[in-house]
Amino acid sequence: MQEEQTTRRRFIVAALAFSGVAAPLGSTWLKSAAAWAADDDAGLDELGRMAQLLFPHEGLDDRVYGGIMSTVMETTTDDQATQAMLDAAANTLDAARETSWLDLGAEEQFAVLQELQDQPFFAGIRETVRFHLYYHPDLWKHIDYPGSSKEFGGYIRRGFNDIAWLPEDE
Amino acid sequence: MARQYELNDASVVVVIGSGAGGGTLSNELAQKGIDVVCLEAGSRLTLADVVNHPPTMDARMGWHDKRIGMAPWICKTVGGTTMRWSGATPRFQEHELKALTTYGQFDGGTTLIDWPMTLDELAPYYDKAEDKMGVSGTHGIPPSAETNNYKVLAAGGKRIGYKEITSSRMAINPQARNGRPGCQQISFCNSGCAIGAKWSTLYTEIPAAELTAHFELRTQSMAVKINHDDSGRVSGVVYRDADGTLHEQKARAVAVAGNVVETTRILLNSNSSRFPDGLGNSTGHVGRNYTRHMFGAAIAKMPKPVNYHRGARQTGIIFDEQYHDPERGFAGGYELQSIALDPWGTSSSIGGWGPDHTVFTDNYTHLAGIFITGEDPPESVNRISLHATERDENDLPVPVIEYRDHPNSLAMREHSLKQSRALFESLGATHFWGGDAPVGCHNMGVARMSANPRDGVANRWGQAHDIDNLFISDGSAFPTSAAGNPTLTIVALAIRQADHIAERMTQKTL
Ligand SMILES: Cc1cc2nc3c(=O)[nH]c(=O)nc-3n(C[C@H](O)[C@H](O)[C@H](O)COP(=O)(O)OP(=O)(O)OC[C@H]3O[C@@H](n4cnc5c(N)ncnc54)[C@H](O)[C@@H]3O)c2cc1C
Ligand code: SF4
């Protein structure tokens, strides 16, 4: 039952991400990601680091995570619910230990996230990051996912049936 | 070419919805020379509007009106959810049409009944539907090309002893046919097929109907209420146009094919002093017995690359588990089908976070996927109803959707995931995820056909027991869910219903 509720929540939030947060994925997206990329000294702030620990892809540039969170913040300034969710995340993370969360070691940061994973803000941030990260061109490049294929004539001549390692027992 | 009918022309059949059920019924009637006005809430896209970016396409064609509960993932656009579907088109089986006789009621108050028709009766309509939709491996159409992901399914299936494995039974052209091209393995099938290789009523039934001059499609026309006359027969449909203006289209008969949630809403919202609980609802079944299949999903990290994003989202089915044997710990059966998801779809299906999650997504090129669809029993508590006070942007009562898995479905899912795991591990999979897939793609049962009026809403032709010129023309009319994907059966029933309507009109009994 617990399990079922979690899955249910997951999909509801995902659906929200689809219909709501998806909308700003236009020019705003490009602009702010570019602005972020230009800022060489930017270490990850709290939310950026949270995004990274949620979906850690080794070797993926930190700036992808940071860019996602700054895009979310910039494109939702008028959206009180999202802003409240982001504030709650920062405050709750910092209140978890004596030291601010960002100054903790990686393992301790992860442990705090595990403790907080049932808090209401957590699923919201997790699904927002999931959406933006897994539709991010840099992440796609990192995992060898090429995105749109119709302009290349699909995969009919580009390997849709090229698997060669399966056993041929029967 | 396309006709235009007067609002007060009471000789037309009004069809609500232009998806699998409504689009097919409209065309079948128009081909017989019966005048049809099809009301469609969504707008009309062209193939040029189809881009390979799921969020963009969801914004263009998804249904986003307010719902409470687990909303199905359906479309508001000409073509309905046939724009988003994957195209798997298996037939239902003999024992599944006799669900009550074969299984008996399950514990906990299920409401199984037998279908008021046999498979023999349905078979000629399955033939017509397969031919119309261009189902691979039927009627001289070659099998679908074997994608990498399908090859994993088939090889693993064989290793664990399965025999009934096919790449066919997909309503996607393997090669050009009837003016539509062959599949180019573009892979974004669930966001619209950019070349029209996958069957959708948008570019098959609807234009074919328009060529008859017996058909008018009214887009951005949201049906809100069905009116009836003093004798209790339906007489017209009130709809809201793009500007929000209400009109009434008079009708000789009305067919509802809004895909269960909307079909329920329009029937319940059409209550009157004569039908205080809504149309067709004298026995209280409208909205109840909602089935959406036992769904499961399995994703594995294989030892070497699969690249499951290359090629059609679904290709291929294993039928071996689609039989009834209580020894397995549950009644009814299921099918294993190959499925591929984009990175976001993969990540959301697996759910969770952290390194346990990214071991899958970081190895995206090595993933293989299985989608499981199995029979779920009707229960009267699984239902769609209307919220007593809350109303949406169209001033309609908001639908409330309640669905829970029966213990039979939980046992079936567990079995199917164990089998999926064994299948992948037989080929050396190193990581396995399996779970629920609560997306509500297959929707059935809320206005079901029944031999006895006490047990359902419609007779064996989908004609309401209470009102002889009101028809149910989508998955709502299914008495039980069977295991396989529903759309082939929706289309077969729509063709059969059109024959019945035409015959009744010829006999002057409609
Ligand atoms: C991702 C996905 C994959 C799928 N894959 C498969 C598959 O492989 N095989 C399979 O068999 N099935 C599949 N399905 C299911 C398939 O899409 C449906 O079974 C089928 O489209 C249902 O047909 P329908 O006519 O009932 O509804 P729809 O096709 O949804 O059409 C209903 C239409 O009615 C319109 N409408 C609703 N209410 C109103 C109103 N009040 N006024 C006017 N218009 C209205 C809607 O806008 C819509 O156009 C899939 C579904 C999804 C979401
Ligand atoms: S894989 Fe085939 S059916 Fe699917 S979208 Fe591409 S061309 Fe169309």
Side-chain angles (χ1 to χ4, degrees):
Chain A
M1 196 58 214
Q2 176 65 34
E3 169 89 35
E4 193 187 313
Q5 276 171 357
T6 326
T7 357
R8 189 170 303 195
R9 192 164 345 111
R10 189 172 91 222
F11 270 87
I12 292 167
V13 179
L16 281 177
F18 240 149
S19 49
V21 193
L25 261 180
S27 50
T28 358
W29 165 270
L30 293 171
K31 199 174 76 221
S32 62
W36 179 272
D39 183 0
D40 279 344
D41 298 331
L44 281 178
D45 66 4
E46 203 154 41
L47 290 172
R49 177 66 178 152
M50 180 176 172
Q52 187 173 43
L53 284 180
L54 284 174
F55 301 105
H57 286 274
E58 212 182 310
L60 180 65
D61 197 324
D62 284 5
R63 284 175 292 196
V64 173
Y65 296 105
I68 285 173
M69 293 320 285
S70 63
T71 302
V72 170
M73 282 189 288
E74 283 168 28
T75 52
T76 57
T77 42
D78 298 336
D79 171 355
Q80 288 186 359
T82 306
Q83 290 296 323
M85 177 179 85
L86 297 170
D87 287 347
N91 296 337
T92 321
L93 288 176
D94 275 338
R97 297 286 187 277
E98 307 261 296
T99 335
S100 87
W101 181 77
L102 206 50
D103 294 334
L104 300 171
E107 270 178 40
E108 201 54 24
Q109 287 178 332
F110 188 77
V112 170
L113 290 184
Q114 277 186 314
E115 285 163 27
L116 297 179
Q117 64 179 335
D118 292 327
Q119 299 260 336
F121 74 84
F122 194 93
I125 297 210
R126 187 190 63 211
E127 294 313 315
T128 303
V129 174
R130 190 194 306 283
F131 179 83
H132 287 281
L133 180 63
Y134 288 109
Y135 277 114
H136 197 297
D138 290 355
L139 182 279
W140 286 358
K141 214 174 285 167
H142 179 75
I143 62 170
D144 282 331
Y145 174 71
S148 179
S149 91
K150 74 169 184 169
E151 59 274 44
F152 307 110
Y155 290 97
I156 191 149
R157 281 178 208 84
R158 296 191 307 137
F160 84 99
N161 62 353
D162 65 356
I163 195 166
W165 57 266
L166 288 169
E168 311 216 356
D169 11 62
E170 283 90 1
Chain B
M1 267 311 278
R3 281 274 292 274
Q4 279 202 328
Y5 297 94
E6 298 291 329
L7 286 172
N8 60 10
D9 183 343
S11 73
V12 300
V13 175
V14 174
V15 175
I16 300 170
S18 66
T24 304
L25 179 68
S26 294
N27 183 31
E28 290 289 318
L29 291 174
Q31 297 295 335
K32 296 173 195 295
I34 296 167
D35 292 313
V36 174
V37 171
C38 178
L39 301 175
E40 168 53 55
S43 53
R44 187 171 189 158
L45 300 178
T46 67
L47 290 186
D49 296 316
V50 175
V51 294
N52 288 171
H53 190 255
T56 304
M57 291 313 294
D58 188 59
R60 275 182 199 167
M61 67 186 196
W63 191 290
H64 301 295
D65 295 17
K66 183 158 194 206
R67 273 104 173 69
I68 297 169
M70 288 213 294
W73 199 41
I74 61 180
C75 292
K76 183 195 281 188
T77 189
V78 175
T81 318
T82 64
M83 288 297 284
R84 177 173 279 170
W85 77 315
S86 302
T89 28
R91 293 186 180 198
F92 287 1
Q93 299 186 355
E94 181 86 56
H95 72 273
E96 293 172 334
L97 298 191
K98 296 189 190 122
L100 179 60
T101 306
T102 317
Y103 316 141
Q105 294 300 356
F106 305 173
D107 291 341
T110 57
T111 51
L112 284 99
I113 54 174
D114 289 344
W115 283 54
M117 71 193 73
T118 62
L119 190 59
D120 280 348
E121 257 178 279
L122 207 48
Y125 294 100
Y126 271 144
D127 281 334
K128 288 183 185 174
E130 286 163 350
D131 188 41
K132 176 196 279 293
M133 301 167 87
V135 175
S136 59
T138 71
H139 310 278
I141 302 165
S144 300
E146 300 184 1
T147 60
N148 291 337
N149 199 32
Y150 168 76
K151 289 182 185 185
V152 172
L153 179 83
K158 277 185 205 157
R159 283 225 155 163
I160 65 166
Y162 287 149
K163 302 206 160 49
E164 295 171 65
I165 308 174
T166 179
S167 72
S168 291
R169 304 282 162 179
M170 299 298 303
I172 298 178
N173 280 348
Q175 58 193 33
R177 181 171 188 269
N178 291 351
R180 291 188 292 120
C183 172
Q184 291 182 0
Q185 310 294 343
I186 294 173
S187 113
F188 288 82
C189 314
N190 300 139
S191 302
C193 178
I195 58 170
K198 179 187 79 174
W199 183 80
S200 167
T201 52
L202 172 67
Y203 37 77
T204 56
E205 305 302 302
I206 299 297
E210 284 171 336
L211 284 176
T212 65
H214 291 287
F215 176 74
E216 180 187 346
L217 175 68
R218 264 176 231 162
T219 59
Q220 293 181 278
S221 298
M222 173 82 184
V224 296
K225 189 176 173 47
I226 301 171
N227 287 335
H228 62 80
D229 61 20
D230 293 342
S231 71
R233 301 183 83 233
V234 297
S235 55
V237 179
V238 180
Y239 67 96
R240 190 181 293 272
D241 70 15
D243 303 323
T245 312
L246 292 175
H247 308 273
E248 185 191 10
Q249 173 64 52
K250 291 287 178 196
R252 175 176 185 176
V254 174
V256 192
N259 202 338
V260 299
V261 180
E262 291 306 315
T263 293
T264 302
R265 175 153 76 171
I266 197 156
L267 293 175
L268 294 181
N269 197 48
S270 300
N271 56 350
S272 64
S273 51
R274 182 174 184 132
F275 299 112
D277 299 319
L279 299 186
N281 200 22
S282 65
T283 52
H285 284 289
V286 171
R288 295 197 184 264
N289 311 307
Y290 175 37
T291 54
R292 56 197 290 174
H293 278 150
M294 185 290 294
F295 267 17
I299 294 174
K301 185 190 158 216
M302 305 309 290
K304 293 192 179 147
V306 177
N307 286 310
Y308 78 167
H309 63 277
R310 297 182 188 162
R313 280 295 145 98
Q314 287 196 240
T315 313
I317 307 176
I318 296 180
F319 291 106
D320 291 72
E321 300 284 359
Q322 195 180 359
Y323 63 100
H324 175 58
D325 175 11
E327 288 292 300
R328 285 184 297 179
F330 53 88
Y334 61 86
E335 295 176 9
L336 299 162
Q337 308 183 344
S338 80
I339 194 163
L341 299 161
D342 72 2
W344 178 81
T346 303
S347 177
S348 341
S349 293
I350 294 171
W353 59 282
D356 293 346
H357 179 86
T358 45
V359 72
F360 292 98
T361 50
D362 205 46
N363 292 292
Y364 183 78
T365 53
H366 285 51
L367 302 181
I370 291 178
F371 161 66
I372 304 146
T373 175
E375 177 148 16
D376 65 331
E379 296 185 78
S380 92
V381 293
N382 283 345
R383 66 183 290 218
I384 296 160
S385 54
L386 303 184
H387 196 275
T389 52
E390 222 174 306
R391 301 181 84 85
D392 70 7
E393 51 277 60
N394 285 319
D395 197 29
L396 286 168
V398 174
V400 181
I401 300 160
E402 293 166 275
Y403 179 86
R404 61 165 197 212
D405 280 322
H406 188 274
N408 192 77
S409 302
L410 298 177
M412 187 189 285
R413 182 175 299 126
E414 199 179 315
H415 187 273
S416 66
L417 293 177
K418 216 176 86 217
Q419 292 302 105
S420 303
R421 180 175 201 134
L423 185 155
F424 285 137
E425 286 180 348
S426 80
L427 300 170
T430 55
H431 294 77
F432 175 85
W433 170 85
D436 191 2
V439 279
C441 294
H442 301 170
N443 298 293
M444 298 158 288
V446 295
R448 66 186 188 177
M449 297 182 285
S450 62
N452 188 328
R454 196 189 55 213
D455 297 328
V457 173
N459 68 12
R460 55 202 304 277
W461 308 106
Q463 186 173 18
H465 290 302
D466 295 345
I467 303 171
D468 80 337
N469 63 342
L470 174 65
F471 292 85
I472 311 298
S473 313
D474 59 5
S476 307
F478 289 15
T480 53
S481 78
N485 324 54
T487 310
L488 177 73
T489 306
I490 293 174
V491 172
L493 289 173
I495 301 172
R496 178 173 171 273
Q497 187 175 68
D499 280 358
H500 175 73
I501 291 175
E503 206 180 297
R504 293 281 309 265
M505 284 183 171
T506 313
Q507 294 166 351
K508 307 233 181 310
T509 52
L510 191 69

Coordinates of all heavy atoms in Angstrom, one line a residue, chain B residues 16-22 39-42 63 73-82 84-89 190 221-224 257-259 262 266 314 441-442 474-475 485-488 490, ligand 1:
Chain B
I16 N -19.6 11.1 -30.8 CA -18.8 12.0 -29.9 C -17.4 11.3 -29.7 O -17.3 10.3 -29.2 CB -19.5 12.1 -28.5 CG1 -20.9 12.8 -28.6 CG2 -18.6 12.9 -27.5 CD1 -21.7 12.8 -27.4
G17 N -16.4 12.0 -30.3 CA -15.1 11.5 -30.3 C -14.6 11.0 -31.6 O -15.4 10.3 -32.3
S18 N -13.4 11.2 -32.0 CA -12.9 10.8 -33.3 C -11.7 9.9 -33.2 O -10.9 9.8 -34.1 CB -12.4 12.1 -34.1 OG -11.3 12.7 -33.5
G19 N -11.5 9.2 -32.1 CA -10.5 8.3 -31.8 C -10.8 6.9 -32.4 O -11.5 6.8 -33.4
A20 N -10.2 5.9 -31.8 CA -10.3 4.5 -32.4 C -11.8 4.1 -32.6 O -12.2 3.7 -33.6 CB -9.7 3.5 -31.4
G21 N -12.6 4.3 -31.5 CA -14.0 4.0 -31.6 C -14.8 4.9 -32.5 O -15.5 4.5 -33.5
G22 N -14.8 6.2 -32.1 CA -15.6 7.2 -32.8 C -15.2 7.4 -34.3 O -16.0 7.5 -35.2
L39 N -18.4 15.0 -33.3 CA -18.0 16.1 -32.5 C -16.7 15.8 -31.8 O -16.6 14.7 -31.1 CB -19.0 16.4 -31.4 CG -20.4 16.8 -31.9 CD1 -21.4 16.9 -30.7 CD2 -20.4 18.1 -32.7
E40 N -15.6 16.6 -32.0 CA -14.3 16.3 -31.4 C -13.9 17.4 -30.6 O -13.8 18.6 -31.1 CB -13.3 15.9 -32.5 CG -11.9 15.9 -32.1 CD -11.6 14.9 -30.9 OE1 -11.9 13.7 -31.0 OE2 -11.0 15.4 -29.9
A41 N -13.5 17.2 -29.3 CA -13.1 18.2 -28.4 C -11.8 18.9 -28.8 O -11.6 20.1 -28.6 CB -13.0 17.7 -27.0
G42 N -10.9 18.1 -29.4 CA -9.6 18.6 -29.8 C -9.5 19.3 -31.1 O -10.5 19.4 -31.9
W63 N -4.6 15.3 -23.1 CA -5.9 15.8 -22.5 C -5.5 16.3 -21.1 O -5.0 15.5 -20.2 CB -6.8 14.6 -22.3 CG -8.2 15.1 -21.9 CD1 -8.5 15.5 -20.7 CD2 -9.4 15.1 -22.7 NE1 -9.9 15.9 -20.7 CE2 -10.4 15.7 -21.9 CE3 -9.7 14.8 -24.0 CZ2 -11.7 15.9 -22.3 CZ3 -11.0 15.0 -24.5 CH2 -12.0 15.5 -23.6
W73 N -3.8 8.5 -19.4 CA -2.9 9.3 -20.3 C -3.4 9.4 -21.7 O -2.9 8.7 -22.6 CB -1.5 8.7 -20.2 CG -0.4 9.6 -20.6 CD1 -0.2 10.9 -20.2 CD2 0.8 9.2 -21.4 NE1 1.0 11.4 -20.8 CE2 1.6 10.4 -21.5 CE3 1.2 8.1 -22.0 CZ2 2.8 10.4 -22.2 CZ3 2.4 8.1 -22.7 CH2 3.2 9.3 -22.8
I74 N -4.5 10.1 -21.9 CA -5.2 10.1 -23.2 C -5.0 11.4 -23.9 O -4.5 12.4 -23.4 CB -6.6 9.7 -23.0 CG1 -7.4 10.7 -22.2 CG2 -6.7 8.3 -22.4 CD1 -8.8 10.3 -22.0
C75 N -5.6 11.5 -25.1 CA -5.4 12.6 -26.0 C -6.7 13.4 -26.3 O -7.7 12.8 -26.4 CB -4.8 12.2 -27.3 SG -3.1 11.6 -27.2
K76 N -6.5 14.7 -26.5 CA -7.6 15.5 -26.9 C -7.2 16.1 -28.3 O -6.5 17.2 -28.3 CB -7.9 16.6 -25.9 CG -9.1 17.5 -26.3 CD -9.2 18.8 -25.5 CE -9.8 18.6 -24.2 NZ -10.0 19.9 -23.5
T77 N -7.5 15.4 -29.3 CA -7.1 15.9 -30.7 C -7.8 15.0 -31.7 O -8.3 13.9 -31.3 CB -5.5 15.7 -30.8 OG1 -5.1 16.3 -32.0 CG2 -5.1 14.2 -30.8
V78 N -7.9 15.4 -32.9 CA -8.5 14.6 -33.9 C -7.7 13.3 -34.0 O -6.4 13.4 -34.1 CB -8.7 15.3 -35.3 CG1 -9.2 14.3 -36.3 CG2 -9.6 16.5 -35.1
G79 N -8.3 12.2 -33.9 CA -7.6 10.9 -33.8 C -7.5 10.4 -32.4 O -7.2 9.2 -32.2
G80 N -7.7 11.2 -31.5 CA -7.7 10.8 -30.1 C -6.4 10.1 -29.7 O -5.3 10.5 -30.2
T81 N -6.5 9.1 -28.9 CA -5.3 8.4 -28.4 C -4.7 7.5 -29.4 O -3.6 6.9 -29.2 CB -5.6 7.7 -27.0 OG1 -6.5 8.6 -26.3 CG2 -4.4 7.4 -26.2
T82 N -5.3 7.3 -30.6 CA -4.6 6.6 -31.7 C -3.4 7.4 -32.2 O -2.6 6.9 -32.9 CB -5.5 6.3 -32.9 OG1 -6.0 7.5 -33.5 CG2 -6.7 5.4 -32.4
R84 N -1.3 8.6 -30.0 CA -0.3 8.3 -29.0 C 0.0 6.8 -28.8 O 1.0 6.4 -28.2 CB -0.8 8.9 -27.6 CG 0.2 8.6 -26.5 CD -0.3 9.4 -25.2 NE 0.2 10.8 -25.3 CZ -0.2 11.7 -24.4 NH1 -1.1 11.5 -23.5 NH2 0.2 13.0 -24.5
W85 N -0.9 6.0 -29.3 CA -0.8 4.6 -29.0 C 0.4 3.9 -29.6 O 1.1 4.5 -30.5 CB -2.1 3.8 -29.3 CG -2.3 3.5 -30.8 CD1 -2.1 4.4 -31.8 CD2 -2.8 2.3 -31.3 NE1 -2.4 3.7 -33.0 CE2 -2.8 2.5 -32.7 CE3 -3.1 1.1 -30.8 CZ2 -3.3 1.4 -33.5 CZ3 -3.6 0.0 -31.6 CH2 -3.6 0.2 -33.0
S86 N 0.7 2.7 -29.2 CA 1.9 2.0 -29.7 C 1.6 1.1 -30.9 O 2.5 0.7 -31.6 CB 2.6 1.1 -28.6 OG 3.0 1.9 -27.6
G87 N 0.3 0.7 -31.0 CA -0.1 -0.1 -32.2 C -0.1 -1.6 -32.0 O -0.4 -2.4 -32.9
A88 N 0.1 -2.1 -30.8 CA 0.0 -3.6 -30.5 C -1.5 -4.0 -30.6 O -2.4 -3.4 -30.0 CB 0.5 -4.0 -29.2
T89 N -1.7 -5.0 -31.5 CA -3.1 -5.4 -31.8 C -3.4 -6.9 -31.8 O -3.8 -7.5 -32.8 CB -3.5 -4.8 -33.2 OG1 -2.3 -4.8 -34.0 CG2 -4.0 -3.4 -33.2
N190 N 4.9 7.2 -29.4 CA 3.9 7.6 -28.4 C 3.8 9.2 -28.4 O 3.1 9.7 -27.6 CB 4.3 7.1 -27.0 CG 4.3 5.6 -26.9 OD1 5.2 5.0 -26.3 ND2 3.3 5.0 -27.6
S221 N -15.0 21.0 -30.5 CA -16.4 21.0 -30.1 C -16.6 19.9 -29.0 O -16.7 18.7 -29.3 CB -17.3 20.6 -31.3 OG -17.1 21.5 -32.4
M222 N -16.7 20.4 -27.8 CA -16.8 19.6 -26.6 C -18.2 19.3 -26.3 O -19.0 20.2 -25.9 CB -16.1 20.4 -25.5 CG -16.2 19.7 -24.1 SD -14.9 18.5 -24.0 CE -15.3 17.8 -22.3
A223 N -18.6 18.0 -26.4 CA -20.0 17.6 -26.1 C -20.1 17.7 -24.6 O -19.3 17.2 -23.8 CB -20.3 16.2 -26.6
V224 N -21.2 18.3 -24.1 CA -21.4 18.5 -22.6 C -22.6 17.8 -22.1 O -22.7 17.4 -21.0 CB -21.3 20.0 -22.2 CG1 -20.0 20.6 -22.5 CG2 -22.5 20.8 -22.8
A257 N -18.1 7.9 -27.7 CA -16.8 7.3 -27.8 C -15.7 8.3 -27.3 O -14.8 8.6 -28.0 CB -16.5 6.8 -29.2
G258 N -15.9 8.7 -26.1 CA -15.0 9.7 -25.5 C -13.8 9.1 -24.7 O -13.0 9.9 -24.1
N259 N -13.6 7.8 -24.7 CA -12.6 7.1 -23.9 C -13.0 7.2 -22.5 O -12.8 8.3 -21.9 CB -11.2 7.7 -24.2 CG -10.1 6.7 -23.8 OD1 -10.4 5.8 -23.0 ND2 -8.9 6.8 -24.4
E262 N -14.5 10.4 -20.2 CA -15.4 11.4 -20.8 C -16.7 10.7 -21.2 O -17.8 11.3 -21.1 CB -14.8 12.0 -22.1 CG -13.6 13.0 -21.7 CD -14.0 14.0 -20.7 OE1 -15.1 14.6 -20.8 OE2 -13.2 14.2 -19.7
I266 N -20.2 12.3 -19.7 CA -21.3 12.8 -20.5 C -22.6 12.1 -20.2 O -23.6 12.7 -20.2 CB -20.9 12.8 -22.0 CG1 -21.9 13.7 -22.8 CG2 -20.9 11.5 -22.7 CD1 -21.4 14.3 -24.0
Q314 N 7.1 -0.3 -29.5 CA 6.7 -1.6 -29.2 C 6.8 -2.5 -30.5 O 6.3 -2.0 -31.5 CB 5.3 -1.7 -28.7 CG 5.2 -1.1 -27.3 CD 3.9 -1.6 -26.6 OE1 3.1 -0.7 -26.2 NE2 3.7 -2.8 -26.5
C441 N -3.3 3.5 -19.8 CA -3.4 3.6 -21.2 C -4.6 2.8 -21.8 O -5.2 3.3 -22.7 CB -2.2 3.0 -21.8 SG -0.7 3.9 -21.5
H442 N -5.0 1.7 -21.1 CA -6.1 0.9 -21.6 C -7.3 1.1 -20.7 O -7.2 0.9 -19.5 CB -5.7 -0.6 -21.6 CG -4.5 -0.9 -22.4 ND1 -3.9 -2.1 -22.3 CD2 -3.8 -0.2 -23.3 CE1 -2.8 -2.2 -23.2 NE2 -2.8 -1.0 -23.8
D474 N -16.9 2.9 -27.5 CA -15.5 2.8 -27.1 C -15.2 1.6 -26.2 O -16.1 0.8 -26.0 CB -15.0 4.1 -26.5 CG -15.7 4.5 -25.3 OD1 -16.6 3.7 -24.8 OD2 -15.5 5.6 -24.8
G475 N -14.1 1.6 -25.5 CA -13.7 0.5 -24.6 C -14.7 0.4 -23.4 O -14.7 -0.6 -22.7
N485 N -4.1 -5.8 -25.4 CA -4.4 -4.4 -25.7 C -5.8 -4.2 -26.4 O -6.1 -5.1 -27.2 CB -3.3 -3.8 -26.6 CG -1.9 -4.4 -26.3 OD1 -1.8 -5.6 -26.3 ND2 -1.0 -3.5 -26.0
P486 N -6.5 -3.2 -26.0 CA -7.9 -3.2 -26.4 C -8.3 -2.7 -27.7 O -9.4 -2.9 -28.2 CB -8.5 -2.2 -25.3 CG -7.4 -1.3 -25.0 CD -6.1 -2.1 -25.1
T487 N -7.4 -2.0 -28.4 CA -7.9 -1.1 -29.6 C -8.4 -1.9 -30.7 O -9.4 -1.6 -31.4 CB -6.8 -0.1 -30.0 OG1 -6.4 0.5 -28.8 CG2 -7.3 0.9 -31.0
L488 N -7.8 -3.1 -31.0 CA -8.3 -3.9 -32.2 C -9.7 -4.3 -31.9 O -10.6 -4.3 -32.8 CB -7.4 -5.1 -32.3 CG -7.9 -6.1 -33.4 CD1 -7.6 -5.5 -34.8 CD2 -7.2 -7.5 -33.3
I490 N -11.8 -2.7 -29.9 CA -12.7 -1.4 -30.0 C -13.1 -1.2 -31.5 O -14.2 -1.0 -31.8 CB -11.9 -0.2 -29.5 CG1 -11.7 -0.3 -28.0 CG2 -12.7 1.1 -29.8 CD1 -10.9 0.8 -27.3
Ligands
LIG1 C1 1.0 5.5 -24.5 C2 -0.2 4.7 -25.0 C3 0.1 3.5 -25.7 C4 -0.9 2.7 -26.1 N1 -0.6 1.6 -26.8 C5 -1.6 0.8 -27.3 C6 -1.4 -0.4 -28.0 O1 -0.2 -0.7 -28.3 N2 -2.4 -1.2 -28.3 C7 -3.7 -0.9 -28.0 O2 -4.6 -1.7 -28.4 N3 -4.0 0.2 -27.4 C8 -3.0 1.1 -27.0 N4 -3.3 2.2 -26.3 C9 -4.7 2.5 -26.0 C10 -5.4 3.1 -27.2 O3 -4.9 4.4 -27.4 C11 -6.9 3.3 -26.8 O4 -7.4 2.0 -26.6 C12 -7.8 3.9 -27.9 O5 -7.2 5.0 -28.5 C13 -9.1 4.1 -27.4 O6 -10.0 4.6 -28.4 P1 -11.3 5.5 -28.0 O7 -12.0 5.8 -29.2 O8 -12.0 4.9 -26.9 O9 -10.6 6.8 -27.3 P2 -9.6 7.9 -27.9 O10 -8.8 7.3 -29.0 O11 -8.9 8.4 -26.8 O12 -10.6 8.9 -28.6 C14 -11.5 9.6 -27.8 C15 -11.7 11.0 -28.5 O13 -12.9 11.6 -28.0 C16 -12.7 12.9 -27.8 N5 -13.6 13.4 -26.7 C17 -13.7 13.0 -25.5 N6 -14.7 13.5 -24.8 C18 -15.3 14.4 -25.7 C19 -16.4 15.2 -25.6 N7 -17.1 15.4 -24.5 N8 -16.7 15.9 -26.8 C20 -16.0 15.8 -27.9 N9 -15.0 14.9 -28.0 C21 -14.6 14.2 -26.9 C22 -11.2 13.0 -27.4 O14 -10.7 14.3 -27.6 C23 -10.6 12.0 -28.3 O15 -10.2 12.5 -29.5 C24 -2.3 3.0 -25.8 C25 -2.5 4.2 -25.1 C26 -1.5 5.0 -24.7 C27 -1.8 6.2 -23.9

